Amino acid sequence: MREPFKLFFSIFQERSKLKEYRNEGRRIFGTMCNNVPEEVIHALNAVPFRMFGNYGNTNLANSRIPSWTCNYARNVMEAGLRGDFDFLDGVVSATTDDTKIHLFSAYRFYMKPEFSYLVQFPYVRDEISERFFSKELERFAKHLSSFLSAEFDLERLSDSIKIYNKYRLLCSEFEKLRADEKPKIRADEFMALMLSSLSMLKEDFTSMAENLPEMLREHDGFSDYRLRIHLSGTDFYSLTLLRLIEESGMAVVSDDLCTSAGYFTGYVEGDGFDALAERYSGCTACVMTSSNTELSVEERLRFIRKKLRENEADAIVLLKDRGCEVCGHQCPWIVREIDAPVLVLDLDFPLSVEQYRTRMEAFVEAHGGG
Amino acid sequence: MENSWNPLGYKNLYRELFKKHLDRQNELLKKNRPVGWFFSFHPSELIYIFDVVPAFPEQYSAYCAARGSSVDLIDTSISSGYGHFLCDYFKTTIGMIEAPEKATPPLMPKPDFIISSRALCVAHHEMAEVFSRYYGIPKYTVNYPYWTTDSLKNPDELTKEAEWAEEVYVEYTIERLRGLVDFLSKIAGEVDEDRFMEVFRKSEKTSELLIKILNLMMSKPTPGSQREISDLVFIAFFVLGSDYALEFCENAYEIIKERVKRKEGVSEEKYRLLTFGIVPWHSLKIYQYCESMGANFPVNLYVNASVHKADSSNPYLSMVRRSMHFTNSSYEMLDGVVKTAKKAEIDGALLLENTGCRITSMIIRPLAERLNEDLGVQSLILEAPQCDPRVMPMERAKTQIDAFLESLS
C-alpha cells in the first residue's frame, strides 16, 4: 500500500480521529449498517462512526450469538464484548435485515449503551411509505436531539447533506480512477480510503483526500492484471482478500459492497427529511426496499449491470459470506442473470487463503485472456 | 425411568381440521379462485374474507420435514446456490419448486400472488421476493415495525395487548394493511363488509379460546402434551378466522378444561419446563420423550408468540397487534416472558436454536440469561433446525436431555 493510503488506513485502525473528536468533547455514535442516515447524527454536531471488529476468531461473540451468523455481526459483538466500543455514546442500526435487527438487540442487551435507535425501513417505495420514512427519520432526530439535549436545526441538516454529498462526489472521483484502463488505485488502497472515511467526519475526510485524485491522475496506473472485475458482496472489509484478488491477476474496477459503493452511491437531492428519506430508501445496492412494481433483487441486478458497463468490468467476484442472508437469497440470481462470468467465493473467516488463491487463479486462467 | 404418557387426544380434532381445510382448498381450486402464498403472522382473516386459496410455505415445509422429504429439498436448494444458513422453510420450499419430484405430495398449488410481511422476520420478505421472481407473480408487502422499548410499552405476552404503541408506526402499518385489502380486492373481487365483520368475529372468538387453552396449559399438573399444543400454531398463524378453526378450538378448550378440572396431567409431573424455538417437525417425539420422563411443558413460547387477542371492533389494529410478540421486539421485552415463566412455576427450559433462523437463534441466549438471572432457572440449548434432522440426531438429543434432567433433580 502506498504512503498516502497508509495514513488513511492508520486512521481507521488506530481510530486517531475519533480520539481527537472525543478530546474536543464531541459525542460519538456507532452505526451498524450503511443505511443509517448519518446526516441526522452529523447535524447534531455528533460523530457517526461505522462499527467494525477485526478478530479472526470470535470466541466471546460465539457464546452470545450463533457462530453461523455473518462475519460482520460476530465481529461487532466480539469487539463490543472486548470493550472496543466503550467510548461510544450510543448505537444506531436499521431494520435492513434480520441480522442487523438482532445484532442491535443483542448489542443493547449485553453492552447496554446509553443511547440506541433502530431506524425502521419501509421496504416499499410508494407515496405512503416515503411519507412514513420521512416521519421515521424525524422521529430518530427527535430521540437523538433529546438525548443530546440539543435542538434539531433543519439548516444544520441542510449543511450536513451538502457535506455528505461532497463526500459522495469525491468517492465517485476515486471510483473513476479505479476504473481507468490502467487503474490508478489498488483495491486495498480504495478500501483503506473507504474505511477511514467511515471512522472520521466527512468534512475532515474530504479536506484530507481532496487533492488525492489530482495526484493519482499523474500516476501511470497499473497494468499488471488480466481481468477487470466487479466485486459484489455486503459488509466486506478484508484487505487481505483484496490483495489476494489482485495478486491473482484481477483488478477490482467497481463494487456494490455495503462498505464502499453501496454506501456512497446516490446523492441527497434537496433538503430536509423528505429528501433524506428518498435517498436512503432508493439509492443503495443492498437494501431490501424497492418500488411497488419491482423487486429489490432486480434493483440490485440493475445496479450491478450499470457498474459493469460504466467501469468496463469483464467478470464478477461474488463474496458470499456464509452467514449473510442477503447474499444467501440473492446470489443465485446474480449468477444466473448477469451476463458475465461469476466466481462465487463462500466467505468465512479466518480466511482459507490458499484455497481462495487456487480458485482465483483458475478463474483468471479461464476468463483472463492471453 | 419412563412413566405413562397421557395426551389430551387432540389428534382426531386436528385430523378433522386439516380435512376441512383441504376440502375448502380443493373446492376453491375447482372454482378457479386465486391462489396466494402467505407467511406466519399475516392477517389470515383476509383469506376467508376474500375466499382465496391459501398455501403456506412454512406449513408445507413442516409437513415435508414430518414426512422425511425435507433433507433432499434442502440439499437441492443449496445445490442451486442459495446459502446454507438460511431459513429451513425457505430451502425446503425452493427444493419443492426446483425438484417437485422429491417433494411430498400434495404439493403447494402454484401461486397467483404472494403476501410478503415482516411481522417476524426480514427473511419472509426476502423469500417472498425469490418466490415471486420464480413465478413472475405480484407481491404485496406489509412491513410491521420491529418493536423497541421506545415504541411499545408492556405488551401482554399472550394477548399482545399493550399499554401504548407508537402512533406513527401503527398508522403506517394500518395504511399498508388497507393497501393489502385493495390489492386483494383487485385480485379476488370487492370486499363484502358483512363478511369482513363476520370473519373477524370468528377470529376474535377463536383467539380467545386459544389464549384460554394456553393459560390452562400452565395448570398443575401440565394437562397436555407439546406434541398436540405445538400444532396450535397452524391455527393461530394460518387459519384464524375460519369456521373450522373456531370449531376446533371450542372442542379443544372443553377437553383441556375437563382435564384440568380432574387435575390430570400428561404424565406424572416431576419437572415443569419452558420451551422455545420453532418446533423440530422431523422429531416431534422429542416432546413425548421428555414428557414420558415426567418433564412436562406448561409453556411453549413459540406457540405463545403465535397467538394474539383479535378484536372485531377494531380489525385493523387487531392485525397490527399480531406483530407485538417478544420475537419481534427488542430483548427488554423478555420481561413479559419472565412473568409468564414465573407464573407457570417452571423448573428449567429446553431452548431450540433453529440453525438459519436469526430470530429464534439470536434471542435464545439472552432468554436463557434472563431465566437464570431472574428466576434461577437453568436452560438446555439444543441446536435443532426445524426441517433438517441431520443437525439434531435424536439419540444425541436424548442423551443431552437425560443429563439436563439429571442436573435438575
Side-chain angles (χ1 to χ4, degrees):
Chain A
M1 191 186 291
R2 289 170 290 172
E3 204 45 63
F5 301 105
K6 275 187 189 163
L7 173 67
F8 282 100
F9 192 58
S10 74
I11 290 172
F12 164 70
Q13 267 191 317
E14 289 160 26
R15 295 181 180 158
S16 48
K17 281 283 174 191
L18 295 176
K19 285 172 195 156
E20 269 177 46
Y21 303 142
R22 197 85 198 136
N23 291 339
E24 288 164 11
R26 307 276 293 254
R27 313 291 288 272
I28 303 173
F29 292 87
T31 64
M32 295 177 176
C33 179
N34 58 314
N35 290 301
V36 169
E38 292 178 17
E39 289 90 333
V40 172
I41 303 171
H42 187 272
L44 281 159
N45 202 31
V47 183
F49 151 73
R50 181 70 196 271
M51 299 161 80
F52 290 104
N54 196 20
Y55 293 95
N57 289 310
T58 52
N59 296 336
L60 292 179
N62 293 356
S63 62
R64 265 72 168 198
I65 60 175
S67 56
W68 46 262
T69 51
C70 71
N71 178 59
Y72 175 74
R74 280 182 287 124
N75 261 285
V76 168
M77 274 306 281
E78 185 73 20
L81 291 163
R82 285 175 188 253
D84 295 0
F85 298 132
D86 286 355
F87 65 95
L88 292 177
D89 293 286
V91 295
V92 185
S93 190
T95 58
T96 39
D97 65 37
D98 286 324
T99 308
K100 294 284 162 58
I101 294 174
H102 287 270
L103 172 63
F104 171 83
S105 275
Y107 190 94
R108 248 166 83 120
F109 183 83
Y110 289 111
M111 263 61 83
K112 301 188 173 33
E114 237 186 302
F115 174 85
S116 58
Y117 195 89
L118 185 70
V119 179
Q120 309 275 343
F121 264 73
Y123 302 158
V124 182
R125 268 198 314 278
D126 59 10
E127 213 184 309
I128 293 168
S129 303
E130 293 278 353
R131 202 168 54 235
F132 159 74
F133 196 40
S134 177
K135 278 188 201 169
E136 167 62 359
L137 297 186
E138 201 173 339
R139 184 178 185 274
F140 168 41
K142 269 185 199 155
H143 277 252
L144 187 58
S145 50
S146 153
F147 173 73
L148 293 170
S149 307
E151 278 289 309
F152 195 85
D153 182 348
L154 282 173
E155 273 181 35
R156 277 199 66 101
L157 178 62
S158 172
D159 292 342
S160 299
I161 288 172
K162 282 187 194 113
I163 287 167
Y164 269 74
N165 278 346
K166 195 175 168 191
Y167 159 76
R168 291 172 182 130
L169 184 67
L170 180 61
C171 290
S172 70
E173 287 290 303
F174 288 122
E175 208 181 16
K176 278 180 205 146
L177 289 164
R178 175 174 67 167
D180 205 282
E181 194 189 339
K182 287 184 177 178
K184 304 283 196 279
I185 183 165
R186 296 268 191 204
D188 61 339
E189 295 171 340
F190 194 88
M191 185 54 78
L193 282 178
M194 292 298 105
L195 294 174
S196 70
S197 78
L198 293 162
S199 316
M200 64 203 282
L201 286 166
K202 296 294 183 272
E203 56 270 40
D204 289 347
F205 175 80
T206 308
S207 128
M208 274 182 75
E210 64 191 347
N211 295 325
L212 257 184
E214 197 54 49
M215 216 175 84
L216 291 168
R217 267 184 216 107
E218 285 166 19
H219 185 263
D220 281 345
F222 303 101
S223 51
D224 56 345
Y225 67 87
R226 290 171 60 191
L227 193 63
R228 293 166 66 85
I229 61 134
H230 171 90
L231 198 57
S232 186
T234 46
D235 293 302
F236 172 81
Y237 52 99
S238 163
L239 266 57
T240 309
L241 196 68
L242 290 172
R243 287 186 191 121
L244 195 62
I245 289 172
E246 294 207 325
E247 281 166 20
S248 307
M250 294 182 262
V252 177
V253 294
S254 70
D255 74 73
D256 55 69
L257 305 172
C258 300
T259 44
S260 178
Y263 172 66
F264 66 73
T265 303
Y267 298 96
V268 179
E269 311 278 357
D271 283 323
F273 293 110
D274 288 353
L276 215 51
E278 199 182 332
R279 191 267 170 195
Y280 277 94
S281 64
C283 285
T284 56
C286 83
V287 72
M288 294 302 297
T289 299
S290 62
S291 73
N292 252 345
T293 52
E294 211 172 19
L295 302 174
S296 67
V297 66
E298 285 158 359
E299 294 195 358
R300 187 182 181 97
L301 290 169
R302 199 167 56 240
F303 186 94
I304 294 173
R305 283 193 191 103
K306 187 168 176 269
K307 291 279 177 194
L308 284 170
R309 198 174 51 245
E310 282 174 357
N311 301 298
E312 297 178 11
D314 309 309
I316 296 179
V317 173
L318 204 162
L319 304 172
K320 185 182 164 200
D321 185 314
R322 67 176 198 135
C324 172
E325 63 202 83
V326 177
C327 294
H329 285 99
Q330 293 190 342
C331 172
W333 298 97
I334 296 172
V335 176
R336 280 176 212 177
E337 301 202 12
I338 297 279
D339 192 18
V342 183
L343 171 65
V344 180
L345 294 177
D346 271 318
L347 208 58
D348 197 10
F349 293 85
L351 289 170
S352 311
V353 172
E354 289 312 314
Q355 282 188 27
Y356 290 127
R357 191 193 302 279
T358 310
R359 295 197 56 203
M360 286 176 192
E361 286 175 356
F363 187 64
V364 172
E365 229 19 78
H367 302 287
Chain B
M1 176 78 85
E2 289 197 16
N3 65 28
S4 61
W5 185 65
N6 182 24
L8 289 159
Y10 283 179
K11 204 171 174 180
N12 290 335
L13 293 182
Y14 279 118
R15 196 170 289 147
E16 190 64 16
L17 172 88
F18 289 127
K19 188 183 172 304
K20 285 182 178 165
H21 178 69
L22 288 174
D23 286 350
R24 173 189 180 270
Q25 189 151 319
N26 290 333
E27 197 183 311
L28 291 176
L29 280 170
K30 271 185 214 152
K31 290 181 189 166
N32 284 324
R33 293 296 295 160
V35 177
W37 282 16
F38 301 84
F39 298 96
S40 51
F41 295 100
H42 74 284
S44 59
E45 292 91 349
L46 298 180
I47 291 167
Y48 301 95
I49 290 167
F50 284 99
D51 255 343
V52 291
V53 184
F56 313 112
E58 290 154 297
Q59 189 252 340
Y60 176 74
S61 302
Y63 168 66
C64 288
R67 296 299 174 96
S69 66
S70 57
V71 168
D72 280 349
L73 300 174
I74 286 170
D75 289 352
T76 300
S77 158
I78 292 169
S79 301
S80 302
Y82 294 100
H84 282 71
F85 297 104
L86 297 179
C87 174
D88 272 9
Y89 292 147
F90 171 74
K91 290 182 287 187
T92 306
T93 306
I94 288 291
M96 184 213 80
I97 296 169
E98 295 216 335
E101 71 284 359
K102 293 180 185 170
T104 308
L107 273 58
M108 281 190 289
K110 281 186 183 165
D112 298 304
F113 65 92
I114 189 157
I115 305 305
S116 146
S117 56
R118 206 220 59 79
L120 173 69
C121 55
V122 185
H124 282 159
H125 178 54
E126 286 163 331
M127 52 181 109
E129 286 230 327
V130 173
F131 300 151
S132 154
R133 197 162 166 78
Y134 264 106
Y135 290 110
I137 50 162
K139 167 183 77 73
Y140 186 89
T141 303
V142 184
N143 181 25
Y144 297 82
Y146 179 83
W147 300 101
T148 55
T149 42
D150 63 40
S151 57
L152 187 67
K153 297 276 179 244
N154 295 329
D156 182 85
E157 204 259 320
L158 274 174
T159 66
K160 317 298 185 276
E161 288 164 320
E163 265 174 43
W164 172 83
E166 170 60 70
E167 215 171 292
V168 174
Y169 295 171
V170 173
E171 274 175 13
Y172 171 62
T173 315
I174 287 178
E175 279 186 288
R176 289 301 298 168
L177 286 164
R178 287 191 193 282
L180 172 59
V181 169
D182 290 344
F183 173 84
L184 289 172
S185 300
K186 281 175 197 144
I187 286 173
E190 283 305 303
V191 61
D192 174 338
E193 290 301 327
D194 292 339
R195 174 102 183 112
F196 191 99
M197 288 316 296
E198 185 199 328
V199 169
F200 266 93
R201 276 194 289 271
K202 264 180 226 157
S203 172
E204 182 175 321
K205 277 188 202 162
T206 312
S207 73
E208 284 167 354
L209 290 166
L210 281 169
I211 290 163
K212 281 183 182 172
I213 292 170
L214 295 178
N215 268 318
L216 285 174
M217 268 299 283
M218 289 192 274
S219 312
K220 271 185 170 181
T222 307
S225 166
Q226 282 303 326
R227 278 204 78 152
E228 306 162 300
I229 295 298
S230 60
D231 273 338
L232 290 180
V233 296
F234 176 73
I235 295 166
F237 283 149
F238 302 125
V239 296
L240 195 68
S242 65
D243 295 328
Y244 42 89
L246 178 57
E247 193 183 314
F248 175 97
C249 286
E250 283 168 345
N251 292 326
Y253 173 63
E254 286 306 318
I255 292 171
I256 194 167
K257 197 173 74 180
E258 286 310 308
R259 172 72 69 99
V260 170
K261 242 188 230 169
R262 295 196 303 270
K263 292 192 177 302
E264 202 176 309
V266 61
S267 69
E268 199 180 308
E269 191 157 281
K270 293 180 192 159
Y271 315 103
R272 291 167 66 79
L273 304 183
L274 169 149
T275 186
F276 173 63
I278 304 173
V279 174
W281 300 106
H282 43 81
S283 304
L284 282 171
K285 53 190 177 214
I286 194 171
Y287 297 121
Q288 187 176 341
Y289 178 76
C290 293
E291 288 156 0
S292 301
M293 311 267 286
N296 296 334
F297 298 95
V299 181
N300 183 337
L301 294 176
Y302 169 63
V303 181
N304 287 9
S306 75
V307 303
H308 74 294
K309 164 80 169 65
D311 180 359
S312 58
S313 68
N314 199 342
Y316 282 96
L317 182 63
S318 172
M319 290 189 246
V320 179
R321 196 178 284 157
R322 269 183 188 262
S323 68
M324 295 175 182
H325 48 93
F326 83 98
T327 43
N328 185 42
S329 310
S330 59
Y331 301 167
E332 296 80 6
M333 310 278 189
L334 287 170
D335 283 349
V337 169
V338 170
K339 215 186 277 176
T340 301
K342 195 172 175 185
K343 185 175 160 194
E345 296 181 41
I346 61 158
D347 306 304
L350 174 65
L351 309 178
L352 304 166
E353 179 184 320
N354 309 120
T355 321
C357 173
R358 283 143 188 89
I359 313 306
T360 56
S361 301
M362 285 181 85
I363 205 171
I364 266 188
R365 286 160 186 86
L367 169 61
E369 284 193 25
R370 284 294 307 270
L371 292 175
N372 188 24
E373 280 167 17
D374 292 47
L375 306 173
V377 160
Q378 296 295 317
S379 299
L380 170 65
I381 299 178
L382 290 182
E383 192 177 357
Q386 65 266 33
C387 296
D388 194 340
R390 290 170 293 191
V391 182
M392 191 195 76
M394 264 308 277
E395 288 314 307
R396 189 168 71 196
K398 281 180 182 175
T399 311
Q400 288 171 298
I401 288 166
D402 290 349
F404 179 63
L405 296 180
E406 186 69 33
S407 76
L408 293 181
S409 59

